[in-house]
Amino acid sequence: MGRFHRHDDGTEHSHDHDHGHEHEPGHDHEHSHDHDHSHDHAEGHDHEHSHPHDHGDPADHDHAGSPAAHAAAGEELISEHGDHTGYETGAERIEILERIFDENDARAAYNRRLFDEHGVTAINVMSSPGAGKTTLIARALDELAGKKRVGIIEGDIETAIDADRLRGKAAQVSLLNTGNGFGGECHLDAPMVAHALEGLDLDSLDLVLVENVGNLVCPAEFDVGAHRKIMIASVTEGEDKPLKYPVMFRSVDTIVVNKIDLLPYLDFDLGLFEHNARSVNPDATILRVSARSGEGVEAWVESLTR
């Protein structure tokens, strides 16, 4: 099994190696590969080999080319989800993450095909809690009334508070509480969005906005099947957020800076924030918006329909 490493600059490389034999799902054992095995194992087969070679201490050897072997050689165990070298179980963690994200990416591709088949544009809208996602979405729905048929997938850990705020403004709203069957996750993933899509009639929609759970970390890592990603930042959060949460800022095509009406009352350097954002994502469009005063809302709405 190959292993991929994705570094912070987005480059990837893989480590492919051949065990010399194949295992079916469920086969789990450790042994060194000083010689070739020429037999296959059936599903669920779990045993220790009696071949004339020394397994030694399981803690002292790993499959050649495996994450643990790379770690033992001093190579960092880095995936797109972070550096796991601090864990004794770093190799296992990366392998599990790979499986989770493979499943997620397959479902995301399915979601995207579904949107495409119905001629619907889907946008993943992300931010930290309290940055103003719901308020800005509500403003957009007011502006788009009679022009675009907009469906909302409203993601929250608990409650229907935000979904209720948008009902009557959006053509359709599908609420997804991650605390209801999805482990209370701090983000939406593709299987969750697929579940929420059962509550939308895509044939009668032009645009779907996925309002993700408020969080600057995990939502950026999970492809939900949207065509685009937008994030909303607030001037109350500080200029350093693009540097502290680069994965989020790097993942989007548009950064909306909300609550600019508060600038006279804050020690916030808007120019420095934008500089930091561009250092992480030089290609992103940056919009200055106030959901309260309406300044910049027209540009915000245009960004959803371009």
Side-chain angles (χ1 to χ4, degrees), residues 8-25:
D8 203 35
D9 62 0
T11 59
E12 299 181 14
H13 64 278
S14 62
H15 298 271
D16 295 322
H17 54 280
D18 188 3
H19 288 197
H21 60 283
E22 297 179 356
H23 299 295
E24 295 296 330

Side-chain angles (χ1 to χ4, degrees), residues 8-259:
D8 203 35
D9 62 0
T11 59
E12 299 181 14
H13 64 278
S14 62
H15 298 271
D16 295 322
H17 54 280
D18 188 3
H19 288 197
H21 60 283
E22 297 179 356
H23 299 295
E24 295 296 330
H27 180 79
D28 183 15
H29 67 278
E30 296 185 356
H31 54 275
S32 62
H33 288 265
D34 295 330
H35 64 279
D36 290 335
H37 295 272
S38 60
H39 57 278
D40 297 331
H41 301 290
E43 181 174 355
H45 184 71
D46 187 4
H47 69 280
E48 295 183 359
H49 290 273
S50 59
H51 304 291
H53 64 281
D54 184 10
H55 286 216
D57 185 348
D60 293 336
H61 72 279
D62 296 283
H63 293 291
S66 71
H70 291 308
E75 182 174 331
E76 291 183 334
L77 283 176
I78 298 178
S79 78
E80 62 182 313
H81 316 298
D83 178 352
H84 295 267
T85 55
Y87 292 104
E88 291 183 5
T89 56
E92 291 83 355
R93 286 171 179 265
I94 287 181
E95 185 167 352
I96 291 169
L97 284 170
E98 287 178 352
R99 287 157 54 190
I100 290 172
F101 279 87
D102 284 348
E103 176 191 0
N104 183 82
D105 290 348
R107 179 58 68 171
Y110 171 83
N111 292 347
R112 201 154 23 244
R113 286 195 302 271
L114 196 62
F115 288 128
D116 290 341
E117 289 169 2
H118 291 83
V120 173
T121 299
I123 302 176
N124 186 4
V125 183
M126 303 175 287
S127 79
S128 65
K133 288 193 306 299
T134 308
T135 303
L136 275 174
I137 288 174
R139 291 295 298 257
L141 293 174
D142 289 340
E143 296 295 325
L144 292 172
K147 304 172 185 175
K148 290 282 185 181
R149 300 169 300 172
V150 185
I152 303 292
I153 293 177
E154 182 58 49
D156 265 314
I157 297 175
E158 298 286 353
T159 81
I161 294 172
D162 289 344
D164 290 343
R165 287 180 60 188
L166 300 178
R167 295 189 197 280
K169 293 179 178 289
Q172 303 171 38
V173 177
S174 181
L175 171 65
L176 193 143
N177 285 142
T178 67
N180 184 18
F182 294 99
E185 292 286 1
C186 57
H187 60 272
L188 297 183
D189 60 23
M192 296 180 202
V193 169
H195 179 76
L197 283 174
E198 296 175 5
L200 297 179
D201 176 13
L202 294 180
D203 284 330
S204 61
L205 296 175
D206 303 307
L207 174 67
V208 169
L209 300 181
V210 180
E211 182 174 358
N212 219 306
V213 179
N215 186 341
L216 288 180
V217 184
C218 302
E221 296 183 330
F222 286 85
D223 183 0
V224 299
H227 299 101
R228 296 176 51 210
K229 297 178 183 178
I230 292 177
M231 76 155 298
I232 298 168
S234 166
V235 298
T236 58
E237 297 176 52
E239 305 94 339
D240 57 0
K241 291 302 175 290
L243 305 180
K244 288 185 173 182
Y245 303 96
V247 175
M248 171 61 76
F249 282 82
R250 190 181 297 123
S251 72
V252 302
D253 60 60
T254 303
I255 300 168
V256 180
V257 186
N258 191 28
K259 305 185 183 181

